[in-house]
Amino acid sequence: MKNSRESGVSGQWSVVSGFLFLLLVTVHFFPFTDFAASEDFRKRKSQLKESFTANEDIRAEIVFGRELSARILGRYKLYDDKKLTRYINLVGKGIAQYAGRTEIEFRFAVLDTDIINAFAAPGGYIFITKGALKIMEDEAELSAVLAHEIAHVTERHIVKELNIKGTDDSPAAGLARILGGGTETMRVVFTQMVDKAVEILFEKGLKRQDELNSDRMATITTANAGYDPVALKRYLKKISNNEEKTEILTGTHPSFGERIDNLDSFLEKNQLSDKKQPFLKERFVENVKIK
Amino acid sequence: MRKKIINCSLIIGLLLSVPFAHAADLYVQSVRAPIFLEPTLGSKRLTESVKGELLKEMDKKGDWYQVDYKGVNGWISRLLVSTKPPLGKVSILEETEEMLEKGARKRASAFATAAAARGLAEERARISDKYKVDYEGVEWMEALKIADEEASQFLQEGMEK
Amino acid sequence: MLKLNSGRQSVVSGQMPLLTSYSLLLVIFMLITHHSSLITEVFADEYHYNNIIIGDRASGMGGAYTAISDDASGCYYNPAGLIFASGRSLSASANVYNYFKKTYKDVLGGKGWERVSSNLLPNYFGIIQPLGQGIIGFSYAVPDSRLENQKQTFYNFPGIDPTTKLPLTITKYVINMNDTDYSYNFGPSYALKIRDNLSIGTTLYLHYRGRELISNHFLAVDDGRYEWRNVYDSLTEWGLKPMIGMIWNPLDKVSLGLTVSQNYVFNTDKRIQITYRGLDYGITNPAYEVWESTDGRKLPLTLTLGGAYFLSESLLFSADVSYYTDSNYTVTYKNTSTGATASGSIPQERTLNIAIGTEYYLNERVAMRGGFFTSMANTPKLFSGKTDQPEHIDMYGITFSISQFTRSSSLSLGGSYSLGTGEAQPYTGSTAIKGVEMQNLTAFISAAFTY
């Protein structure tokens, strides 16, 4: 009796191990497709990154962006021209309506410096230098440069670059957590984060990929808004000939050559190279009068 | 007995399948979102949908969704739509004003939150002396207010010139 | 000759005089012998393998979770799925209420006999976190539990005299009983990804079962005789339950899971203490006996194959098929004072259970789940003309739950209801087959937390 029972059990195991072996063989020889690189299909709606990027996170971004803006304005003085700033805001907010994140109130200001550059802080604070405005010839170029900065905000490039890991891999959530922490340690961490963001803006630069991506998104936004889609490329070509004033820009951005090539292929792919849309040169010249 | 259970299962199945019927809904996220004839920016612009509007997804191609919008069949950029309705404007500054309209009970806490967020942030700044700061400049920038409608009209005027 | 009534066609060798002589209780009701004879481990429902559904999401989906298994409750269903969990997480669930009712129809003088168990206990706790290349987890599960309290009195129903075989009337029959029976599994899990679309995992559970039954029966006959029996029955059982699992994604949105597990019981202690006063007129000294056994259960090898289709980020479907091999074991009890033995063999048939489930997210904060499952009897179908056959009830159930999510946590409320009808032979030594109905209702609340 005992013997027969035991052989019964081992018989079961041989069936199982045979089955497992067959299965492993099947798995081994199965023609694999490249989908498998991601198991994203498992993610349920409640687990998606965007799902809980709620108001508190956006608020954290704004608080953070405000801090960063104060440092940008601490470095480059604000160009205190209400009429010009109003114009920049009208153009900026106009194209921002064609960018994804409508929950953010975008604000634009001019920096009193001759270097050619533009900056974006999280939460919608966007700066353009007097030097950049001087070299522009029309509103399409202005809108393209602003759209590039808007893309940095909508895509949360700086927040991502800070690498604050939230519970669900959402960097903004991490920011909100630090902000909500309220302890002295958290304050120090927050300040360090802002300082780190300053370094990214002025020294290190964002990821090459983020810059190229923002160029493409800016092209989409300007094209959608109705401006000349080639404006950003025109602007980049111009500043590439102005190397000495853009040394900071070239230090923190990919080379102009690479950016222009990237735009060329993007314009081509989207059949935008020859699309004729307004430049709005007159309105620009009328509003932007910088000595 | 089994019949009862089968009936129950059917009811649950039906309940679950009701919301499934409109699973491929897309909400416009940008204030405006043009719809094109083909899945490329260079193609003809058919019409423009506006923020919060519901579009029915029919097909997908790269960065584009084919949608049906008020009987117009076209393509919309993936960047401008999402499966969730868009959020309202979020601000740490205007919140107090918004809340004033929503009644007194909420006001106090909302005011405290916004004020705390600002106060806290500025207090934090003092911990760092690494960089010069200019909060007045930021406030000057925030003081300039332009409504979306005004910016929208300004853009329109430019395009019609 | 005593029949071991949880054994099928059980064979008993040896004499147990005090249990069999003059006993009206034993002769009349096999139901009652469940509580007063040797084989008392039946009521935690060894006739079924799928008694309690475990886990936060799985409970709502009929337990069809082998191909999903991607949270802390994956330790229990398929450890290979842990690899897909997003970070560290913790999951706990509590059965708010478990209600079980079994009704034997047309017994005890046509009145029917009901047995009810209800209890409240946390049935799962699991925690997982990354370790090295994989994910490590630890979990605790209660796959089966019963808490039965009974006090019931029946009046004036017919019986048969055990010695003369003449009919008589039982004027009063009082049952007082308390039965607690819990099984616990606890232990570690580890999961590893071995290639892009294939992961494996293992869980090693330590199994513990503890049972304690105290029952008191009093019976009076119209001719002035009476019978009384008090039983204290305890069982402790230790086992090791290894499970190995794998999850394979052969196609986009499709996941297949497989698990193999078996519970090896390595230590069993059974003790039955009976104080008994046989059917008689006068007052005689009550008899006292203790029977012991260390023979463990042989539990079946379980193979579960699951599939899941993740149609969209809002909707998924899943199904599991579980196969349980047949098994057979012998239990021998020994009388501690006389050395007499009694034994019987207990076979279990091959059994197949299925579960299907679906989950739908109304939005990112609310999800609904529904499921269907079976819990088939591992006993053979009853044949007419035979006696002392174990009952056979196939159960079918539905589940439902709703979850509310925040960024890092979820709270679920749900319930399951299963129902089965089948056949039983309530009378010892009789070929009569009676209908039996079983219902099981569970309400649960569970929470999961990612940190």
Side-chain angles (χ1 to χ4, degrees), chain C residues 122-148:
Chain C
N123 70 11
Y124 191 77
F125 176 80
I127 184 164
I128 56 172
Q129 70 169 66
L131 178 81
Q133 299 290 303
I135 304 272
I136 193 168
F138 186 86
S139 60
Y140 151 93
V142 182
D144 203 356
S145 74
R146 283 280 187 270
L147 172 62
E148 188 181 7

Side-chain angles (χ1 to χ4, degrees), chain A residues 45 50-51 53-55 58-59 62-63 66-67 69-71 73-75 78-82 85-87 89-91 93-95 97-100 102-105 107-109 125-127 139 155 178-179 182 184 186-188 190-191 195 198-199 203 217 219-220 223-227 266 269-272 275 277-278 280 283 287, chain B residues 28-34 36 38-45 48 51 63-64 77 79-80 83-84 86-95 113 117-118 120-161:
Chain A
K45 207 160 189 171
E50 311 83 53
S51 285
T53 310
N55 291 2
I58 297 159
R59 237 175 259 137
I62 297 172
V63 172
R66 224 173 165 268
E67 286 301 309
S69 300
R71 283 161 178 75
L73 290 174
R75 182 168 184 135
L78 187 85
Y79 188 64
D80 190 355
D81 181 334
K82 268 218 165 105
T85 310
R86 197 180 144 74
Y87 169 69
N89 272 279
L90 280 168
V91 174
K93 286 174 88 85
I95 48 157
Q97 299 187 5
Y98 291 86
T102 46
E103 74 274 15
I104 286 180
E105 182 79 59
R107 302 161 200 284
F108 304 84
Y125 295 84
I126 286 165
F127 303 88
E139 199 175 296
E155 295 299 294
I178 289 175
L179 197 60
E184 193 61 27
M186 285 303 196
R187 286 177 197 198
V188 174
F190 183 83
T191 307
D195 289 349
V198 176
E199 273 168 39
E203 291 153 37
M217 288 184 68
T219 303
I220 296 172
N224 276 341
Y227 289 105
F266 186 74
K269 196 182 138 208
N270 287 282
Q271 303 163 17
L272 286 171
K275 184 139 178 162
Q277 292 196 150
L280 298 192
R283 191 159 84 174
N287 282 283
Chain B
V28 177
Q29 298 294 304
S30 54
V31 179
R32 282 155 207 296
F36 293 92
E38 281 163 63
T40 157
L41 286 166
S43 74
K44 190 169 177 265
R45 182 196 292 240
E48 230 175 31
K51 183 180 170 181
D63 284 338
W64 296 83
S77 168
L79 296 171
L80 304 181
T83 50
K84 302 176 297 173
L87 294 166
K89 277 253 195 296
V90 176
S91 165
I92 55 163
L93 308 162
E94 277 104 35
E95 192 170 56
T113 313
R118 265 190 284 178
L120 202 60
E122 275 151 40
E123 196 183 323
R124 279 182 188 111
R126 278 177 231 122
I127 300 169
S128 164
D129 51 8
K130 200 168 170 187
Y131 298 105
K132 236 176 93 187
V133 292
D134 175 9
Y135 287 106
E136 278 173 32
V138 178
E139 275 159 24
W140 185 88
M141 197 175 165
E142 286 165 350
L144 196 137
K145 280 177 194 158
I146 292 166
D148 278 350
E149 294 70 38
E150 197 183 345
S152 190
Q153 204 189 335
F154 184 76
L155 180 67
Q156 215 82 51
E157 282 167 14
M159 294 302 152
E160 280 157 15
K161 258 179 197 170

